[in-house]
Amino acid sequence: MKTTDIENTRKLPYLKQFPDENGYFGKFGGSFVPENVAEAMQDITTAYHLIAQNSDFIAELRKIRKHFQGRPTPIYFAHNLTKKYGGAGIYLKREDLNHTGAHKLNHCMGEGLLAKFMGKKKLIAETGAGQHGVALATAAAYFGLECEIHMGEVDIAKEYPNVTRMKILGAKVIPVSFGAKTLKEAVDSAFEAYLKDTKNTMYAIGSVVGPHPFPKMVRDFQAVVGFEAKEQFIEITGELPDTVVASVGGGSNAMGIFSGFIDDAVELIAVEPLGKGSKLGEHAASLSYGSEGVMHGFRSIMLQDEKGEPAAVHSIASGLDYPSVGPEHAYLHSIKRTKIATIADEEAISAFFELSRKEGIIPAIESSHALAYALKIAPELKGKKILINLSGRGDKDIDFVVQNYGYGD
């Protein structure tokens, strides 16, 4: 057999295969943007590919992760929950202990470093729950850049502690007052502002969504979660987890942890927000109830109204309140690599209090969706091990929870 034949028979790791050079995961992804934006996206793509191969950039990012972010974050065995539910061992990847309190800083520091490399002067982005906004404001302060965050008025009221944090960090917070006044509108507003000055501004998308190269780039920066988790889990238990569970809105925390296990015989479960019910407008479960479409510059599965426009959505978790999902999630679901599950608002709140009372850890409502589903399936998985990506802490949510649900008594 010739050397070239041997090389062709080798199966590349999944992360090396997807996306293709045009940003497609199967038929999902790509870049559907105006010509002037396409040029800016190409500049970002070129710069990212250049620095991703640069040992100085890699060394700088590793230094930031270790000495500024406090990585690696630990894996914690939830002994009280495991005992109570009497089935699978329940483990948590503690991204709530990452600096700023969530996984979002993983890609924000990478995007900030890229912006600095490209000579940009300003970072601009949307935010839902505020964790991406806080993380980007933190990155901007670290790299000496201006920062502008667009946030729906509904989310500003719900997540005001994070608004305060963004302002203290020096960011300019732009309230978005049109439409549903939540995450989708915040994206629209931020993108419109970005178009006014693509030369000096870097749009730092907050999830694995948007036009190429953002779904790949954000996944690559978030993959540190999965790589750490795989090594840690083997060190702790001597084997891989049987199941990995993560919440999915746009899907950055899920793609982060899934990346470490995607080539392994591990079940990957993406948990979507069922909200108040299965009717259109009551939830934000795109993969469960959506159809193929294009929004915000990428092709994926999205929730659409009768006119084919993005539908109204709802979730108690502002960070999951989005009418589409990252194209990589759409692809992985289409090839049956991931399993899709849903959790309603009330179930997420129940899990929020459960983790708080049983383990002394207050989770973000977004993370509580993944936890709620894990607690559902744990009793039936005796002898198995479940790893949950605890993507953020719930400090931002406590005022909203107490006002609407009391103290869980």
Side-chain angles (χ1 to χ4, degrees):
M1 185 180 287
K2 296 179 182 179
T3 302
T4 53
D5 293 333
I6 295 172
E7 290 174 348
N8 288 336
T9 62
R10 292 174 181 162
K11 182 181 178 182
L12 289 172
Y14 169 87
L15 297 180
K16 294 290 186 181
Q17 295 185 64
F18 297 96
D20 66 18
E21 61 181 9
N22 296 312
Y24 279 93
F25 305 86
K27 64 180 178 179
F28 302 107
S31 182
F32 298 82
V33 294
E35 187 175 340
N36 62 323
V37 180
E39 293 177 6
M41 292 300 106
Q42 185 56 54
D43 288 343
I44 294 172
T45 300
T46 300
Y48 175 66
H49 285 310
L50 182 61
I51 65 170
Q53 302 172 51
N54 188 316
S55 60
D56 292 337
F57 172 84
I58 294 168
E60 179 66 17
L61 190 57
R62 285 177 174 172
K63 185 178 79 171
I64 288 169
R65 285 172 173 170
K66 180 177 181 180
H67 299 291
F68 183 68
Q69 294 183 228
R71 303 204 68 90
T73 57
I75 283 180
Y76 169 71
F77 174 58
H79 55 285
N80 290 327
L81 287 179
T82 297
K83 182 178 180 180
K84 177 176 178 179
Y85 287 85
I90 299 170
Y91 294 79
L92 310 175
K93 176 59 172 166
R94 297 289 306 277
E95 285 301 288
D96 59 311
L97 297 179
N98 191 35
H99 180 45
T100 73
H103 69 290
K104 294 291 187 181
L105 195 62
N106 299 330
H107 67 256
C108 284
M109 294 306 291
E111 288 175 326
L113 193 54
L114 176 61
K116 197 74 172 177
F117 174 79
M118 296 179 69
K120 303 295 186 182
K121 299 176 182 178
K122 182 178 180 179
L123 295 173
I124 189 168
E126 79 297 330
T127 195
Q131 285 301 139
H132 177 61
V134 169
L136 197 66
T138 300
Y142 183 95
F143 291 110
L145 301 169
E146 297 177 50
C147 185
E148 181 175 302
I149 304 296
H150 293 243
M151 189 173 188
E153 288 183 341
V154 169
D155 295 331
I156 286 177
K158 187 191 290 186
E159 309 285 5
Y160 201 77
N162 272 347
V163 178
T164 301
R165 294 170 75 194
M166 284 184 266
K167 290 180 177 180
I168 289 173
L169 288 162
K172 182 179 181 180
V173 179
I174 307 296
V176 178
S177 58
F178 60 88
K181 307 176 187 178
T182 55
L183 182 55
K184 187 265 179 185
E185 289 75 24
V187 175
D188 293 337
S189 178
F191 198 70
E192 184 179 339
Y194 167 67
L195 293 180
K196 295 176 182 177
D197 186 12
T198 59
K199 181 180 179 180
N200 297 302
T201 304
M202 170 86 167
Y203 192 130
I205 291 177
S207 193
V208 287
V209 298
H212 181 60
F214 284 97
K216 169 182 168 55
M217 189 166 69
V218 173
R219 178 203 71 188
D220 290 352
F221 287 137
Q222 286 294 345
V224 65
V225 179
F227 297 158
E228 283 179 6
K230 183 175 182 177
E231 182 178 339
Q232 291 168 324
F233 207 90
I234 292 173
E235 181 180 352
I236 293 169
T237 70
E239 58 186 3
L240 293 172
D242 297 285
T243 301
V244 174
V245 184
S247 62
V248 172
S252 59
N253 94 84
M255 276 317 309
I257 198 162
F258 289 174
S259 292
F261 302 94
I262 205 161
D263 288 319
D264 299 307
V266 174
E267 183 180 41
L268 306 178
I269 302 179
V271 182
E272 295 194 298
L274 187 58
K276 299 174 182 177
S278 59
K279 292 181 180 178
L280 193 64
E282 292 184 341
H283 61 83
S286 305
L287 291 171
S288 300
Y289 297 99
S291 56
E292 188 176 333
V294 175
M295 185 180 76
H296 292 151
F298 68 103
R299 181 179 298 281
S300 187
I301 301 298
M302 57 186 284
L303 295 167
Q304 305 175 67
D305 61 21
E306 57 188 16
K307 297 180 181 179
E309 296 295 320
V313 293
H314 163 78
S315 173
I316 195 171
S318 297
L320 304 181
D321 197 6
Y322 187 63
S324 188
V325 66
E328 190 163 13
H329 284 294
Y331 173 69
L332 292 173
H333 177 49
S334 74
I335 63 170
K336 297 180 168 46
R337 179 61 188 93
T338 54
K339 176 182 175 181
I340 308 304
T342 59
I343 285 293
D345 286 350
E346 296 295 330
E347 294 174 301
I349 291 298
S350 177
F352 173 93
F353 283 113
E354 189 76 340
L355 185 62
S356 300
R357 298 288 172 84
K358 298 300 181 184
E359 300 288 352
I361 300 169
I362 302 175
I365 298 178
E366 290 77 13
S367 312
S368 299
H369 283 71
L371 177 67
Y373 187 74
L375 297 182
K376 263 189 174 183
I377 64 175
E380 307 302 321
L381 298 177
K382 200 169 187 67
K384 305 289 188 178
K385 297 179 179 66
I386 301 173
L387 175 61
I388 304 158
N389 194 14
L390 195 70
S391 57
R393 62 175 175 246
D395 299 26
K396 65 184 180 59
D397 298 313
I398 55 176
D399 291 343
F400 171 81
V401 170
V402 170
Q403 288 169 9
N404 291 275
Y405 297 92
Y407 293 94
D409 299 325

